[in-house]
Amino acid sequence: MKVSLVTNILKANERIADQNRKFFDEKGILVLNMMSAPGAGKTTIISKTIVALEKEFRIGVIEGDIQSTYDAEKISETGAQVVQINTGGACHLDGNMIRETFDDLDLDAIDILIVENVGNLVCPAEFNVGEDFKVMLLSVPEGDDKPLKYPLMFHESSALLVNKIDLLPYVNCSVDKIREESLKINPGLSIFEVSATNDTGLEKWFAWLKKQKNDKDLSIKSNG
Amino acid sequence: MKVSLVTNILKANERIADQNRKFFDEKGILVLNMMSAPGAGKTTIISKTIVALEKEFRIGVIEGDIQSTYDAEKISETGAQVVQINTGGACHLDGNMIRETFDDLDLDAIDILIVENVGNLVCPAEFNVGEDFKVMLLSVPEGDDKPLKYPLMFHESSALLVNKIDLLPYVNCSVDKIREESLKINPGLSIFEVSATNDTGLEKWFAWLKKQKNDKDLSIKSNG
């Protein structure tokens, strides 16, 4: 009974996520669903990405939080379009919540849309929102056992940003182990070692993102 | 529809949690429900607590994880009784999962039972498991905005361990701000600044825990 209920919720979400995806494809927008534990540094990475790529791409952001507009305010300092979703008690975003924001964004003025999910390593991985790619952040103070303990999120993500590498001298965490265990779960995962606050390693991440956007543009052109 | 469904689930859980609480009270066991984001240091704190108090109290542990037995294995190195719950996909423990472990623990040989919840700042705060107290960990690399963003967990907890304070020189986090914002949400919260790996500040936490256990024993005696 419980299982079939959960299955139905996931199926209904998948339908809406597919509609969102078609809608974004028609607009030529590349959409990322960015996920991590609380405090891993999603908002900082997004801010740095907006500023670094602002001459090439107009990046818009959908901020997901239980409550508060704290992160949306930080993003709006970059000048980017941003809309806040407050989920109430829900621990993840879903397709319907994303659809509800369409009227609050000027989507014709957005090239890349980054959805910052609720800080949580579990449920966000189960709910598609209409994204092209899921991107995961793992900060090194969280420890190198996370791929073993939360494998679904590593499995579903296309890119993994290992963040806060400036703290490696002070914490018990092996990036090699994260890399090894993550690739066991998901051999196609692109892994970037970065420190968002210290601007370390971000160039490769920016290049990856640009490539995804350019590939999507080419694919739309060749299909149109 | 969705709201009433969630309400029913919470009500059903509350009934089972109450039954668990009565059962624990009859056995004279003090029960803690320990919650935090992934990687905040719950397992390390629990291990240190078991060892520090082993002459006075027999501490048992219920480990909650999506999958894997990694944390349970670490706890079992202390010699304490431990049982692992794998929730499958669920992002929190509930009363029923705890009840299911009763046959796997020798509860007559346990004075304090620590339930280590799934690493998640959202849903664990909504589901009682039959505990006397909820205890929350927040590690300083997660940042000082967490009370604003996840207020329910701060509201529901009786004690807050601010962990990894050895990292304060390297991260942008004010413990004063955590303290101030947490007490706004929950003025009765007991706050302990600790570093579990460096054995800093743990004595006050141990003293708090001992007091809760002794108070419970006195209360049971005076009611019996």
Side-chain angles (χ1 to χ4, degrees):
Chain A
M1 183 64 182
K2 198 177 163 192
V3 172
S4 87
L5 175 71
V6 170
T7 309
N8 286 342
I9 289 173
L10 287 173
K11 263 191 201 159
N13 181 64
E14 207 52 41
R15 261 197 313 277
I16 299 169
D18 284 344
Q19 289 165 3
N20 291 351
R21 193 172 288 114
K22 267 182 208 145
F23 180 76
F24 291 132
D25 286 352
E26 283 163 17
K27 298 263 179 203
I29 303 172
L30 180 82
V31 182
L32 300 185
N33 180 359
M34 196 171 271
M35 310 178 295
S36 79
K42 293 187 294 304
T43 312
T44 307
I45 290 272
I46 292 171
S47 292
K48 299 268 178 172
T49 306
I50 291 167
V51 173
L53 300 185
E54 68 186 350
K55 284 188 184 149
E56 290 161 274
F57 304 113
R58 298 162 299 174
I59 298 182
V61 180
I62 298 176
E63 273 297 331
D65 278 304
I66 307 298
Q67 59 184 78
S68 88
T69 55
Y70 195 80
D71 288 348
E73 286 160 28
K74 279 201 277 181
I75 295 292
S76 71
E77 288 168 16
T78 64
Q81 280 196 64
V82 56
V83 58
Q84 176 81 50
I85 298 173
N86 280 159
T87 65
C91 63
H92 59 272
L93 296 176
D94 64 24
N96 199 45
M97 295 179 199
I98 299 305
R99 187 167 63 180
E100 293 285 327
T101 67
F102 288 176
D103 289 341
D104 299 314
L105 288 168
D106 177 5
L107 290 164
D108 294 318
I110 290 177
D111 303 307
I112 298 174
L113 179 65
I114 304 182
V115 177
E116 181 177 341
N117 219 307
V118 178
N120 179 355
L121 288 185
V122 188
C123 303
E126 294 179 39
F127 288 82
N128 293 324
V129 299
E131 67 274 46
D132 293 284
F133 298 105
K134 290 187 173 68
V135 173
M136 180 186 174
L137 262 77
L138 175 66
S139 66
V140 298
E142 295 167 53
D144 51 25
D145 58 350
K146 294 300 161 291
L148 277 166
K149 293 177 69 180
Y150 302 89
L152 184 66
M153 188 159 287
F154 291 83
H155 185 266
E156 296 299 306
S157 296
S158 300
L160 166 65
L161 292 147
V162 180
N163 192 23
K164 307 193 189 179
I165 57 165
D166 55 299
L167 296 178
L168 280 172
Y170 316 113
V171 298
N172 184 12
C173 177
S174 157
V175 176
D176 285 346
K177 188 177 169 195
I178 291 172
R179 197 175 269 281
E180 190 183 321
E181 298 288 344
S182 303
L183 292 173
K184 261 188 226 166
I185 295 163
N186 181 357
L189 190 66
S190 297
I191 302 176
F192 307 100
E193 300 175 24
V194 305
S195 165
T197 47
N198 291 10
D199 293 306
T200 310
L202 292 171
E203 290 303 328
K204 284 186 187 166
W205 153 247
F206 298 150
W208 182 89
L209 183 53
K210 280 161 74 166
K211 183 176 184 320
Q212 307 316 315
K213 172 62 179 155
N214 292 335
D215 285 355
K216 179 158 185 169
D217 288 348
L218 283 173
S219 142
I220 288 171
K221 234 181 235 169
S222 68
N223 289 331
Chain B
M1 184 62 181
K2 198 177 164 193
V3 172
S4 87
L5 175 71
V6 171
T7 309
N8 286 343
I9 290 173
L10 287 173
K11 264 191 199 160
N13 181 64
E14 207 52 41
R15 262 198 311 277
I16 298 169
D18 283 344
Q19 290 166 3
N20 290 353
R21 192 171 288 116
K22 268 183 208 145
F23 181 76
F24 291 132
D25 286 352
E26 282 164 16
K27 299 265 180 202
I29 302 173
L30 180 82
V31 182
L32 300 185
N33 179 358
M34 196 170 270
M35 310 178 296
S36 79
K42 294 187 295 303
T43 312
T44 307
I45 291 273
I46 293 170
S47 292
K48 298 269 177 169
T49 306
I50 291 167
V51 173
L53 301 185
E54 69 186 350
K55 285 189 183 149
E56 289 161 275
F57 303 113
R58 298 162 301 175
I59 298 182
V61 180
I62 298 175
E63 274 297 331
D65 278 303
I66 307 296
Q67 59 185 79
S68 87
T69 55
Y70 195 79
D71 288 348
E73 286 160 27
K74 279 201 278 183
I75 295 291
S76 71
E77 288 168 15
T78 65
Q81 281 195 64
V82 56
V83 58
Q84 176 81 51
I85 296 172
N86 280 161
T87 65
C91 62
H92 58 272
L93 296 175
D94 64 25
N96 199 45
M97 294 178 198
I98 300 304
R99 187 166 64 179
E100 293 285 327
T101 67
F102 287 176
D103 289 342
D104 299 314
L105 288 168
D106 177 5
L107 290 164
D108 294 319
I110 290 177
D111 304 307
I112 298 173
L113 179 65
I114 303 182
V115 177
E116 181 176 342
N117 220 308
V118 177
N120 178 356
L121 289 186
V122 188
C123 303
E126 294 180 39
F127 288 81
N128 293 324
V129 299
E131 68 274 48
D132 293 284
F133 298 106
K134 290 187 172 68
V135 173
M136 181 187 173
L137 262 76
L138 175 66
S139 65
V140 298
E142 295 167 53
D144 50 26
D145 58 350
K146 294 299 160 292
L148 278 166
K149 294 178 68 180
Y150 302 90
L152 184 66
M153 188 159 286
F154 291 82
H155 185 266
E156 296 298 307
S157 296
S158 300
L160 167 66
L161 292 147
V162 181
N163 192 23
K164 307 193 189 179
I165 57 166
D166 55 300
L167 296 179
L168 280 172
Y170 316 112
V171 297
N172 184 13
C173 177
S174 156
V175 176
D176 285 346
K177 188 177 169 196
I178 292 172
R179 198 176 268 281
E180 191 183 320
E181 299 287 346
S182 304
L183 291 173
K184 262 189 228 167
I185 295 164
N186 180 359
L189 189 68
S190 298
I191 302 176
F192 307 99
E193 299 175 25
V194 305
S195 166
T197 47
N198 291 11
D199 293 306
T200 310
L202 291 171
E203 290 302 328
K204 284 185 186 165
W205 153 247
F206 299 151
W208 182 89
L209 183 53
K210 280 162 72 167
K211 183 174 184 319
Q212 308 315 316
K213 171 61 179 158
N214 292 334
D215 285 356
K216 179 157 185 171
D217 288 349
L218 284 173
S219 142
I220 289 170
K221 234 181 233 168
S222 67
N223 289 331

